[in-house]
Amino acid sequence: MSAHSQDMAAVHQERVRATWQAWPAWTLSALVALMPLSFSVEPNIKALPVALLFFCGLGLLWRAPTRQAYGAAAPVVLPSLLLIALEIANVLWHGLGWRPLDHTAHVMLYVVVAAVFARQLCMALVWSGFSLTAITLGAVCLVQHYWLGVGRAYGLNGGGSSAIECATLLLGLALLALVQWLRTRPGSWRWWLHGAGMAFGMYGALLTQSRGPLLAFVPAFLLVLFVQARRTRRWRWSLALGAAVCLGGAIATATLHGAMVGRFTTIQQEVTGFDQGDPDGSVGERLEMWRTALRAFGEHPLAGIGVDRYGDYVQAEIAAGRSDAAIARYNQPHNEYLRALATGGLPLLVAVLLVFALALRYFARWARDEDDTVAATATAGLAIVVLYLLCALGESVFYRVMSQSFFFFLALGLALRVGYLTRVRGDSPDPATTA
């Protein structure tokens, strides 16, 4: 064999070896990219990606770099652990059995899954997968609204009651796509992909006609533009983009979706009706649910009425004539802060506030980092936290499994990712690590 042939054979063997060494990173990246889609579909197969990531996370917990990343991300991880501990204690105190801990188990699940973010991943694949999911779900909403005649599109998971969850997830994906779109070379295929993810995510959410998530999205969207403008000093471009998106959204809402405009214009009418003793409409019903939740907190300020017991309390209050029968069908008060107060008392509310406040502080700190990869990852986490912080004012975002899973998967995962990147950036990591 000639020297040239030997060199070619050696190069081929090296490439094969490198491919086999890289496949775990690609496989884990693909599983991570599939997660938002798995939250959004009904079949039981959706549990497979999270199950695989959970066992991978368990294996990674034993590695020193992973534990170091958890230590760096402690401001996000510890409040989640506190939330878990308080809900378990509440269930034991009230003797409710283990069934009410379904939501708690999901939080615990994503505390472990987050370990996957503290190792080498192909993040370009992850971000692309998220944008593809936004395009897919947005297209489903388009089909439901324009072809099937569904008034409020709801995506692939559940029925009409899932519209608000679908909107929250779509808008979260749109924010992630926006972060990547702003840092991708204009005209590249990734630029077009993330741009489409942002557009389909926002328009699909508009078709759900969910007012709370849409209103919460605007400050989160503008915050991402502000952070990017501050880093790049491109204030005019960010201002123009923000104005164009807000104007386009307003025009689409006003000219194409009269029903959506109607949902906003009836707010004052429903508030007036509630003041007159008639809680008609979603706003009036929310106000009645909030008043009932505050009454539950007043009666049980420290221990609450018990995790997942709001629905039972409402039925008792209706029977006693203290709450209107219009809210009989609700198991949660459409406000995460009031749900925590009613079911877990003041301690649970403090835990929920810490989940948001400490994550906000953590991501805001790293969003100013000089490393573009670290800053972009932190900005994505910051946008998700702001979206949920505001959505929680009009929706029990941790009561619904889809929205709860999406939040803790991203908040914990991105926090661990930031911790990992800040630990390895001095070691000249592989490009796949920081992409």
Side-chain angles (χ1 to χ4, degrees):
M1 181 181 293
S2 66
H4 177 70
S5 298
Q6 291 178 346
D7 291 342
M8 292 296 293
V11 170
H12 176 71
Q13 290 177 355
E14 185 62 30
R15 287 178 177 175
V16 171
R17 188 180 299 110
T19 300
W20 277 104
Q21 291 175 346
W23 79 263
W26 283 93
T27 303
L28 287 177
S29 300
L31 290 173
V32 171
L34 283 173
M35 287 296 287
L37 183 62
S38 72
F39 301 147
S40 312
V41 297
E42 196 71 49
N44 292 332
I45 190 66
K46 68 182 182 180
L48 182 59
V50 69
L52 293 174
L53 290 175
F54 175 75
F55 289 115
C56 290
L58 282 178
L60 291 169
L61 287 176
W62 301 103
R63 297 187 177 186
T66 304
R67 295 197 300 271
Q68 291 172 354
Y70 272 99
V76 182
V77 176
L78 290 180
S80 300
L81 295 177
L82 176 63
L83 185 66
I84 293 170
L86 287 176
E87 290 191 346
I88 292 175
N90 184 278
V91 166
L92 292 175
W93 176 265
H94 289 283
L96 302 177
W98 296 108
R99 187 168 183 176
L101 290 177
D102 176 61
H103 295 86
T104 309
H106 279 80
V107 180
M108 192 178 303
L109 174 70
Y110 294 111
V111 170
V112 177
V113 167
V116 175
F117 285 83
R119 59 148 293 149
Q120 180 175 326
L121 291 175
C122 180
M123 291 304 293
L125 174 59
V126 172
W127 299 124
S128 297
F130 290 173
S131 288
L132 284 172
T133 298
I135 294 170
T136 300
L137 295 178
V140 168
C141 290
L142 284 168
V143 171
Q144 288 177 337
H145 185 81
Y146 290 109
W147 188 11
L148 301 180
V150 176
R152 296 185 63 186
Y154 53 82
L156 296 171
N157 194 350
S161 61
S162 299
I164 194 167
E165 292 178 89
C166 180
T168 305
L169 190 139
L170 275 170
L171 293 172
L173 291 173
L175 289 170
L176 298 181
L178 170 65
V179 172
Q180 296 306 310
W181 184 77
L182 289 172
R183 64 192 294 258
T184 304
R185 180 173 57 84
S188 66
W189 68 268
R190 288 178 185 169
W191 186 81
W192 287 107
L193 175 65
H194 295 311
M198 182 173 57
F200 274 86
M202 289 188 294
Y203 198 76
L206 181 64
L207 295 178
T208 67
Q209 298 186 26
S210 298
R211 293 169 294 197
L214 288 167
L215 290 173
F217 173 78
V218 176
F221 174 83
L222 295 177
L223 178 62
V224 171
L225 292 183
F226 173 80
V227 171
Q228 182 67 11
R230 189 174 181 272
R231 282 181 50 79
T232 62
R233 304 299 178 186
R234 301 176 63 187
W235 292 100
R236 291 183 180 178
W237 160 247
S238 297
L239 181 62
L241 177 61
V245 171
C246 291
L247 181 61
I251 292 174
T253 302
T255 61
L256 301 179
H257 307 287
M260 186 63 188
V261 176
R263 286 179 60 80
F264 279 107
T265 56
T266 58
I267 292 177
Q268 181 59 44
Q269 178 183 347
E270 293 180 25
V271 171
T272 302
F274 174 79
D275 291 337
Q276 297 173 353
D278 181 20
D280 184 37
S282 60
V283 174
E285 290 172 353
R286 274 178 167 79
L287 293 172
E288 180 67 10
M289 285 186 283
W290 296 353
R291 181 166 62 181
T292 303
L294 287 173
R295 188 160 58 245
F297 166 67
E299 296 172 1
H300 308 276
L302 293 180
I305 57 178
V307 170
D308 209 25
R309 295 296 302 275
Y310 177 80
D312 295 335
Y313 182 82
V314 164
Q315 298 302 324
E317 291 298 286
I318 291 174
R322 290 187 291 268
S323 293
D324 195 280
I327 65 171
R329 58 196 176 100
Y330 295 104
N331 291 322
Q332 43 85 20
H334 281 270
N335 183 300
E336 187 59 41
Y337 308 111
L338 292 179
R339 185 178 80 92
L341 269 180
T343 60
L346 194 59
L348 194 59
L349 174 65
V350 171
V352 170
L353 291 175
L354 287 175
V355 166
F356 288 133
L358 294 185
L360 200 66
R361 184 171 180 266
Y362 176 83
F363 287 124
R365 172 195 172 192
W366 290 110
R368 301 190 298 268
D369 196 81
E370 294 181 359
D371 187 317
D372 181 65
T373 302
V374 173
T377 305
T379 301
L382 181 65
I384 294 298
V385 173
V386 171
L387 176 68
Y388 270 75
L389 175 72
L390 298 175
C391 278
L393 293 170
E395 178 59 24
S396 299
V397 290
F398 295 163
Y399 177 81
R400 300 178 184 270
V401 174
M402 185 198 303
S403 56
Q404 181 208 39
S405 298
F406 185 65
F407 174 82
F408 284 102
F409 167 70
L410 286 174
L412 291 166
L414 293 175
L416 264 292
R417 191 68 187 168
V418 169
Y420 170 69
L421 291 174
T422 56
R423 293 286 182 176
V424 304
R425 61 178 164 187
D427 301 329
S428 298
D430 184 270
T433 303
T434 58

